[in-house]
Amino acid sequence: GAHLYDEQDPLVSLEKGAHSLLLNSSSCWVAQFFASWCGHCQNFKSSWMVLANDVKDWRPAVYLAVLDCAEESNTKMCKDFGVQGFPTVQFFNTFSKNPSDGIKLYNRDPDQMRQFIIDKLEAQKESPPPACPPLEPISAPEVDTFFENNDESYLALIFEEPETYMAREVALDMVQYQGVSVRRVLKDESELVEKFKVTSFPTGFLLCKNGSVSKINLKEESRAHYTRFLRSLPGVRKVIINLVTWSADPVDDTVVRRAVNSSVIYMADLESSIHYSLRVEVARFTVLHGDRLRSLINYISVLKKYFPARPYLRSLLDYLYAWLNKQRAKLVPYKDFADAVNGKNLEENAVLTPHADFVWCQGSKPEFRGFPCSVWTLYHLLTVRAAQLGTEQTKEVLRTMRGYVRSFFGCTGCAHHFEQMAKESMNSVRSLDEAIRWLWFSHNRVNKRLAGDATEDPDFPKIQWPPKELCADCQKMVGNNLTWDEPAVLRFMKTHFSENNLSYDYLE
Ligand code: FAD
């Protein structure tokens, strides 16, 4: 189920089958693929809902739909539709044949998205949705013969500048109403402009079947005023249409909170992170090659070297590393990699947990925390373990994280911010201790930016970390300013993220 949206919203859930809804449909569709844990998707919700409410009366000419790609049961559908980052918004023309026929919308502004939809609807000449009114401008001869060819009681003409959208919006607002047709007349259609003596734009005229013509006088020349006026005309009626509506299995939003200890690191979070990254994030790519394959190999390599895996996972990491190394410089189909992750051809017991089950990283609601929390935790632990085990490559873990985030982290906005920080200062890291510090410091920068944001779990506010309760020596107040005793922070990081501080509670 989509945790961010529900059946109250004028949206269709794609959970029951994105293919059957979006493809081969006599309606146009605008689908948003999101991940409920992704903060940028949560922030996008308000704009998306503005759009959804704004165009809900355009159904069934056009539907808005959503799919939560964070749900593992939806992974395959998201992949089929080529979704690699979140949120992704795609427009589907009527009778689209393939998932790859979706046209991406990059603009996130509700007005821009609405206009994009209108442009696409108008461009759909071959098989426009049956419910869609004609959107192209009307010509003088068409006006003359309108009532001979149509059985509407009224024709509303809205004269407007070519670059404006109002007349088409009003026409679409009337999709569910019978009795009136709304057409735009462009300012440069001189024959009609002269005939109706129009001097200002927009201006509306109402033509009746009985031959009468009157100027539409409104308090304001706006979409809302036109729509209200036209809907209230005698004889104009709302028609009953069986709309496709929300249908999804009810989501169980109750979160069973477990007793957690904030001073330990839970192996369950770390294993869940590895599971989710390898089986959900990497799975978005049908074929792995080039930079992305290198990022994956580095990730497995760093896990193999520094992750304190339990024996079954250790065997799997060794196997994956050897397997991937044989594929270097090739194209690796994800399904082959998935077989390897699932230990398909392995005789020994090599297992990665098949579920994400977060403990410390569990949020107070399903959309909070979870995977991104586990990503931070995993890489802090890896920087600390690299320092404890020693290696010549001081930036190995940080570079691996950077590569992972760039190649696979589904929260595209997050990845962009992280890349900015990495570009700014990652190169100045000179030692394994500085790598620990860099990640701690950068994570605090992110915490500061996100503090108070709508995506913040109220039960886990974004603080400058570690708090006094965890490390009394780490923070110092100089006047009103928080400063850090950095050697104390480093000592604390090395204890907190050490193997000795791992809890194996709640593991299966
Ligand atoms: P998280 O910030 O995920 O932290 C997890 C745990 O790590 C905390 O509970 C705490 O125990 C510990 N911790 C906290 N701070 C530190 C620190 N400085 N050093 C060491 N340990 C610490 N979300 C957005 O909305 N916008 C973004 O741009 C964005 N960028 C991100 C970039 C990356 C690379 C990642 C991994 C995530 C990003 N996120 C972003 C998600 C966001 O940072 C959080 O992960 C998410 O909101 C969940 O927050 P949380 O409360 O679980 O704590």
Side-chain angles (χ1 to χ4, degrees), residues 98 192 249 265 281 298 416 454 507:
N98 299 301
L192 288 173
D249 292 327
I265 302 299
E281 293 233 283
N298 292 340
H416 178 75
L507 286 165

Side-chain angles (χ1 to χ4, degrees), residues 87-103:
T88 289
V89 179
Q90 297 183 6
F91 180 92
F92 290 87
N93 267 316
T94 54
F95 304 105
S96 287
K97 287 285 164 284
N98 299 301
S100 58
D101 292 343
I103 304 162

Side-chain angles (χ1 to χ4, degrees), residues 37-40 43 262 360-361 368-377 380 401 405 409 411 413-415 417-418 421 439-447 449-450 453 455-457 460-466 470 493 496-497:
W37 54 260
C38 157
H40 290 82
N43 288 330
S262 65
W360 168 249
C361 284
F368 290 137
R369 313 191 72 215
F371 179 60
C373 168
S374 73
V375 172
W376 284 119
T377 310
H380 287 304
M401 178 172 183
V405 168
F409 197 44
C411 177
C414 301
H417 278 131
F418 190 75
M421 286 197 301
L439 197 57
W440 160 75
F441 185 81
S442 302
H443 190 175
N444 269 344
R445 279 179 65 185
V446 176
N447 293 340
R449 181 156 51 77
L450 298 179
D453 192 80
T455 63
E456 183 178 63
D457 187 333
F460 296 87
K462 298 270 191 290
I463 52 164
Q464 290 300 289
W465 194 93
L470 285 181
M493 290 288 287
H496 187 70
F497 290 103

Side-chain angles (χ1 to χ4, degrees), residues 1-286:
H3 296 302
L4 298 184
Y5 303 97
D6 61 35
E7 60 205 347
Q8 316 297 325
D9 300 324
L11 296 168
V12 177
S13 163
L14 297 175
E15 187 184 288
K16 292 280 173 72
H19 296 75
S20 62
L21 287 162
L22 301 180
L23 305 181
N24 251 318
S25 168
S26 59
S27 300
C28 288
W29 289 80
V30 189
Q32 188 209 154
F33 301 89
F34 65 96
S36 43
W37 54 260
C38 157
H40 290 82
C41 301
Q42 294 164 26
N43 288 330
F44 178 53
K45 180 178 173 173
S46 56
S47 302
W48 182 253
M49 286 312 300
V50 168
L51 178 69
N53 284 307
D54 201 2
V55 304
K56 69 177 192 296
D57 292 342
W58 300 5
R59 295 174 296 176
V62 57
Y63 283 102
L64 261 59
V66 288
L67 187 62
D68 185 357
C69 297
E71 285 287 324
E72 291 186 32
S73 49
N74 297 334
T75 303
K76 174 142 192 328
M77 281 194 278
C78 295
K79 183 180 177 168
D80 288 349
F81 282 87
V83 177
Q84 301 182 335
F86 307 111
T88 289
V89 179
Q90 297 183 6
F91 180 92
F92 290 87
N93 267 316
T94 54
F95 304 105
S96 287
K97 287 285 164 284
N98 299 301
S100 58
D101 292 343
I103 304 162
K104 265 198 189 171
L105 272 79
Y106 294 98
N107 205 302
R108 296 280 177 260
D109 171 66
D111 293 332
Q112 300 280 329
M113 290 191 286
R114 191 181 64 243
Q115 294 175 1
F116 182 98
I117 294 172
I118 294 173
D119 289 339
K120 289 291 165 214
L121 284 172
E122 187 173 354
Q124 175 53 285
K125 297 272 188 278
E126 216 170 286
S127 42
C132 189
L135 297 174
E136 69 276 6
I138 196 168
S139 63
E142 274 181 281
V143 173
D144 289 341
T145 56
F146 181 83
F147 290 106
E148 287 159 36
N149 299 325
N150 291 277
D151 26 275
E152 309 284 16
S153 312
Y154 307 95
L155 170 63
L157 296 178
I158 300 178
F159 290 77
E160 65 179 0
E161 310 267 2
E163 62 282 1
T164 55
Y165 283 83
M166 189 186 73
R168 285 170 290 175
E169 286 161 359
V170 174
L172 285 159
D173 284 343
M174 300 305 290
V175 157
Q176 298 179 6
Y177 289 77
Q178 233 171 23
V180 56
S181 180
V182 183
R183 300 295 302 268
R184 67 193 300 234
V185 183
L186 298 191
K187 192 180 178 179
D188 49 22
E189 173 67 61
S190 43
E191 192 182 332
L192 288 173
V193 170
E194 277 159 30
K195 180 170 168 195
F196 286 86
K197 302 189 176 60
V198 178
T199 50
S200 75
F201 300 86
T203 291
F205 279 89
L206 190 68
L207 284 62
C208 301
K209 214 184 179 79
N210 66 13
S212 74
V213 176
S214 54
K215 185 170 177 306
I216 301 173
N217 287 311
L218 300 170
K219 254 210 231 98
E220 210 179 278
E221 295 284 336
S222 70
R223 169 184 169 192
H225 280 85
Y226 271 103
T227 299
R228 197 173 323 134
F229 167 77
L230 295 173
R231 286 181 182 177
S232 66
L233 287 173
V236 170
R237 279 176 306 111
K238 193 163 179 173
V239 283
I240 294 161
I241 307 166
N242 282 324
L243 293 175
V244 182
T245 51
W246 187 270
S247 117
D249 292 327
V251 219
D252 185 2
D253 260 0
T254 48
V255 172
V256 184
R257 301 289 284 277
R258 287 178 284 209
V260 287
N261 176 350
S262 65
S263 61
V264 301
I265 302 299
Y266 287 90
M267 185 52 105
D269 287 335
L270 302 169
E271 289 186 0
S272 295
S273 196
I274 298 171
H275 154 75
Y276 193 92
S277 61
L278 297 183
R279 292 213 183 85
V280 181
E281 293 233 283
V282 176
R284 280 181 216 122
F285 302 91
T286 314

Side-chain angles (χ1 to χ4, degrees), residues 48 176 277 292 295 314 323 343 418 436 473 504:
W48 182 253
Q176 298 179 6
S277 61
R292 199 163 275 130
S295 296
R314 160 128 328 273
W323 186 87
F418 190 75
I436 300 175
D473 302 338
Y504 295 85

